[in-house]
């Protein structure tokens, strides 16, 4: 891909990010790649069928519009599932052929978005409904850099990976959560590689999407039973991005599988972008089962860790590109500037590599500043948790957290409780029923009442409004 195409693609992605918001972008588009650009069409790829159909049904227009904003001639976006062959050296000859054989024009002349799913190289026969999600050979323990924020998660994952069949399972499930790009998938895949290579155990890595897709597909083809049996026949089940598990029947099935595996002493490892208590769409039994093992949070990558990751990425790149040198001041600059997540660190290294290769120029600070400008984002607002709100409010009003959750109705706890519920509604994305549940199982109408009450009061009562402001500031620090 030429420099110009790469730049354009970066700009399209930025537009998309702005258009759909950071959360949606990182959930659905982070792994979308540009395969090729023709005169009037572009060809994009994603790693799974599920992503393809999801993007196609929900975001086709957006994707096309973002392209058209950069390249008005583009009238069609083709989206396909990447195959292993595509990811390696030979770029999509096959895909290009597919593009050419498609009907060139829409009959009615509409410029409606046309994001077609095209089956490229047939999915290999072994890649059946149960086949695991694709693994990236680079995501191993050896390449995982350990720092303060992820040491516990790494140690737990290692322990799990080194277990043998018949060993006592120490913590089950192991549940790892963190924000986007902080290494969950890396750790989970490391567990899978290590587990499958080291001993006789069978480790299966599935994204929640794949779990759903496999299950739905199996149901349709009446092989649900076989699917369940096969799932239960594995030693370690690794499920990534659990927050995407949707649908009543899939959840019920997930619940059975989880119980069956755990009760049989098999290990389950799960990653999600939030703690079990915040997985709103799951029912209580699943949530408590998930919370019953070891729950570990990975924090943001500190500067030292970011530097470590950059160095390891550069070293990895050097095995294929011996001349690739990134001077220490450039690494320091990148580690300071790119604070957001590991994916952007990886992206930065790739760009420096591409730039220095294409232009046969050494990497300099100036070039690095120019190349990674769009990866540098202002600090994200902090994610506030309901527990934090309860803790801070309880401290402020000198009551206990259990007072807030209790059914006591004395004035000295009613007001703090209402304030806390109000803050939960305004500072988090949690729904009213969820907030009610987290406040001792209250009804959502109670929460709504509290929110309205405090809203009305802060507009009249200066001292209350100051208190609320102070609480907000403490929470946002
Ligand atoms: P998540 O699944 O939490 O969104 P990923 O595991 O996909 O995050 O990580 C994003 C990128 O950052 C990957 O390229 C990954 O290899 C890298 N990364 C994150 N944390 C680390 C780490 N501790 N050591 C090495 N690379 C890391
Ligand atoms: Mg991930």
């Amino acid at each position: 891909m030429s420099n110009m195409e790469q730049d354009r693609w970066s700009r399209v992605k930025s537009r998309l990010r702005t258009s759909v918001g950071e959360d949606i972008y990182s959930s659905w588009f982070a792994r979308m790649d540009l395969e090729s650009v023709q005169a009037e069409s572009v060809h994009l790829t994603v790693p799974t069928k599920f992503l393809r159909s999801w993007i196609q049904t929900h975001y086709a227009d957006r994707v096309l519009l973002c392209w058209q904003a950069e390249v008005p001639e583009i009238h069609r976006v083709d989206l396909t599932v990447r195959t292993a062959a595509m990811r390696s050296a030979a770029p999509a000859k096959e895909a290009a052929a597919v593009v050419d054989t498609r009907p060139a024009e829409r009959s009615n002349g509409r410029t409606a978005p046309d994001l077609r799913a095209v089956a490229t190289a047939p999915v290999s026969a072994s890649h059946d409904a149960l086949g695991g999600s694709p693994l990236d050979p680079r995501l191993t323990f050896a390449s995982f850099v350990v720092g303060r924020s992820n040491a516990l998660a790494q140690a737990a994952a290692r322990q799990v990976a080194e277990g043998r069949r018949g060993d006592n399972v120490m913590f089950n499930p192991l549940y790892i959560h963190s924000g986007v790009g902080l290494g969950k998938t890396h750790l989970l895949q490391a567990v899978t590689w290590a587990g499958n290579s080291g001993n006789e155990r069978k480790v299966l890595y599935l994204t929640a999407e794949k779990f759903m897709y496999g299950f739905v597909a199996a149901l349709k083809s009446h092989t649900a039973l076989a699917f369940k049996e096969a799932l239960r026949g594995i030693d370690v089940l690794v499920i990534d991005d659990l927050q995407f598990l949707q649908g009543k029947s899939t959840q019920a099935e997930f619940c059975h599988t989880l119980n069956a595996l755990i009760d049989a002493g098999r290990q389950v490892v799960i990653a999600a972008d939030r703690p079990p208590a915040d997985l709103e769409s799951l029912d209580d039994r699943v949530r408590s089962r998930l919370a019953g093992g070891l729950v570990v949070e990975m924090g943001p990558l500190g500067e030292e860790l970011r530097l470590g990751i950059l160095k390891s990425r550069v070293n990895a790149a050097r095995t294929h590109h011996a001349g690739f040198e990134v001077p220490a001041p450039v690494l320091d600059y990148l580690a300071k500037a790119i604070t957001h997540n590991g994916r952007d660190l990886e992206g930065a290294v790739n760009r420096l590599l591409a730039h220095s290769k294409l232009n046969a120029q050494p990497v300099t600070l100036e070039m690095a500043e120019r190349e990674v400008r769009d990866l540098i984002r202002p600090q994200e607002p902090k994610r506030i948790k309901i527990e934090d709100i309860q803790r801070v409010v309880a401290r402020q009003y000198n009551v206990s957290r259990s007072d807030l959750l209790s059914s006591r109705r004395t004035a000295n706890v009613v007001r703090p409780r209402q304030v806390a519920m109000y803050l939960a509604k305004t500072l988090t994305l949690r729904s009213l029923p969820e907030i009610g549940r987290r406040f001792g199982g209250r009804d959502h109408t109670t929460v709504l009442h509290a929110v309205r009450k405090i809203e009305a009061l802060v507009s009249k009562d200066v001292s209350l409004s100051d208190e609320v402001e102070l609480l907000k500031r403490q929470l946002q620090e």
Side-chain angles (χ1 to χ4, degrees):
M1 203 186 307
S2 73
N3 251 1
M4 197 182 84
E5 274 181 10
Q6 199 134 40
D7 282 354
R8 218 157 46 184
W9 175 223
S10 298
R11 285 196 302 271
V12 172
K13 283 191 289 188
S14 300
R15 281 181 189 279
L16 199 54
R17 199 193 291 268
T18 314
S19 155
V20 298
E22 182 61 31
D23 279 354
I24 290 179
Y25 183 87
S26 52
S27 300
W28 303 111
F29 299 106
R31 294 199 285 157
M32 184 161 81
D33 287 343
L34 175 62
E35 187 67 26
S36 61
V37 186
Q38 255 91 48
E40 297 191 341
S41 68
V42 294
H43 177 192
L44 304 175
T45 65
V46 287
T48 66
K49 278 192 193 170
F50 181 85
L51 273 179
R52 184 193 65 195
S53 66
W54 189 274
I55 293 176
Q56 202 188 341
T57 41
H58 296 84
Y59 300 105
D61 310 20
R62 302 280 190 108
V63 174
L64 182 63
L65 283 175
C66 289
W67 269 102
Q68 288 178 329
E70 290 294 331
V71 191
E73 296 78 44
I74 299 286
H75 283 292
R76 200 180 71 217
V77 177
D78 295 318
L79 186 62
T80 66
V81 178
R82 294 199 263 293
T83 58
M86 242 169 167
R87 240 164 295 165
S88 65
K93 284 228 176 59
E94 200 165 353
V98 174
V99 171
D100 290 345
T101 56
R102 231 104 23 80
E105 282 305 317
R106 271 171 303 279
S107 50
N108 57 6
R110 279 188 318 144
T111 50
D114 185 6
L115 192 61
R116 288 168 209 221
V118 186
T120 47
V123 184
S124 83
S126 66
H127 213 104
D128 57 20
L130 234 201
S133 302
L135 292 177
D136 183 335
R138 295 169 310 172
L139 303 182
T140 61
F141 280 116
S143 63
F144 191 82
V145 185
V146 183
R148 218 178 26 186
S149 58
N150 61 22
L152 182 58
Q154 192 267 359
R158 261 224 114 95
Q159 173 99 23
V160 163
E162 284 162 9
R164 310 197 138 263
R165 180 172 283 170
D167 275 2
N168 261 344
V169 176
M170 285 182 62
F171 21 76
N172 212 4
L174 168 61
Y175 185 106
I176 298 173
H177 66 99
S178 80
V180 146
L182 302 184
K184 296 182 296 296
T185 296
H186 192 141
L187 262 191
L188 261 48
Q189 296 210 1
V191 168
T192 312
W193 285 117
N196 276 332
S197 70
N199 50 42
E200 75 284 13
R201 294 196 307 173
K202 210 165 138 197
V203 185
L204 183 66
Y205 171 88
L206 291 173
T207 58
E209 302 156 1
K210 184 84 184 181
F211 183 88
M212 289 194 281
Y213 180 76
F215 186 60
V216 174
L219 274 183
K220 281 192 185 139
S221 60
H222 307 291
T223 55
L225 205 62
F227 178 78
K228 287 182 204 174
E229 285 310 307
L231 252 191
R232 287 174 192 165
I234 59 168
D235 298 297
V236 184
L237 177 64
V238 181
I239 296 202
D240 203 353
D241 286 327
L242 188 69
Q243 71 275 10
F244 292 137
L245 198 74
Q246 289 159 356
K248 273 252 168 303
S249 67
T250 328
Q251 287 187 11
E253 192 48 39
F254 173 72
C255 184
H256 291 148
T257 307
L258 191 68
N259 288 333
L261 287 169
I262 293 178
D263 295 342
R266 308 290 165 75
Q267 179 74 53
V268 177
V269 184
I270 285 167
D273 68 353
R274 60 196 80 168
D278 290 355
L279 288 169
E280 293 177 17
S281 62
L282 290 185
D283 75 42
D284 286 336
R285 275 170 315 154
V286 188
R287 262 198 297 256
S288 68
R289 189 98 219 206
L290 290 174
L294 177 64
V295 177
V296 196
E297 177 169 16
M298 290 201 286
L301 306 170
E303 188 178 324
E304 212 176 313
L305 194 50
R306 298 199 294 269
L307 188 60
I309 294 174
L310 285 166
K311 285 182 179 159
S312 108
R313 288 281 165 185
V314 171
N315 276 337
R318 282 164 58 88
T319 58
H320 295 289
H321 308 279
F324 183 48
E325 299 270 2
V326 183
V330 174
L331 290 173
D332 284 338
Y333 162 74
L334 294 176
K336 280 208 172 55
I338 302 176
T339 54
H340 191 65
N341 71 41
R343 248 167 240 164
D344 290 349
L345 293 173
E346 185 186 2
V349 172
N350 289 343
R351 284 200 205 166
L352 296 188
L353 178 63
H355 193 93
S356 74
K357 285 240 113 181
L358 290 169
N359 304 321
Q361 274 171 3
V363 175
T364 62
L365 196 52
E366 195 204 346
M367 177 249 249
E369 280 173 357
R370 200 174 51 235
E371 287 297 305
V372 306
R373 199 174 302 145
D374 63 306
L375 295 178
I376 300 170
R377 269 175 267 155
Q379 207 83 53
E380 289 249 305
K382 197 174 130 194
R383 198 160 53 125
I384 296 171
K385 299 190 186 120
I386 291 185
E387 292 95 87
D388 297 334
I389 294 175
Q390 292 169 341
R391 191 170 39 76
V392 170
V393 170
R395 194 175 57 202
Q396 170 88 9
Y397 290 98
N398 208 9
V399 295
S400 71
R401 189 166 161 255
S402 52
D403 285 333
L404 293 180
L405 308 191
S406 74
S407 52
R408 289 181 47 209
R409 308 246 350 120
T410 45
N412 70 322
V413 296
V414 169
R415 182 53 47 81
R417 187 185 291 137
Q418 289 176 332
V419 168
M421 290 195 268
Y422 165 80
L423 290 172
K425 185 66 199 135
T426 46
L427 299 180
T428 75
L429 295 173
R430 304 286 163 242
S431 62
L432 293 172
E434 168 71 1
I435 295 172
R437 213 176 48 75
R438 304 286 294 279
F439 277 83
R442 293 183 147 73
D443 194 69
H444 73 275
T445 53
T446 311
V447 182
L448 185 61
H449 173 74
V451 173
R452 296 224 168 111
K453 177 95 190 177
I454 299 299
E455 261 167 11
L457 283 177
V458 289
S459 61
K460 289 181 284 197
D461 180 340
V462 182
S463 73
L464 181 68
S465 124
D466 285 349
E467 266 168 37
V468 168
E469 272 316 302
L470 183 72
L471 286 166
K472 279 190 186 166
R473 231 172 306 141
Q474 285 179 43
L475 285 161
Q476 277 158 343
E477 248 159 33

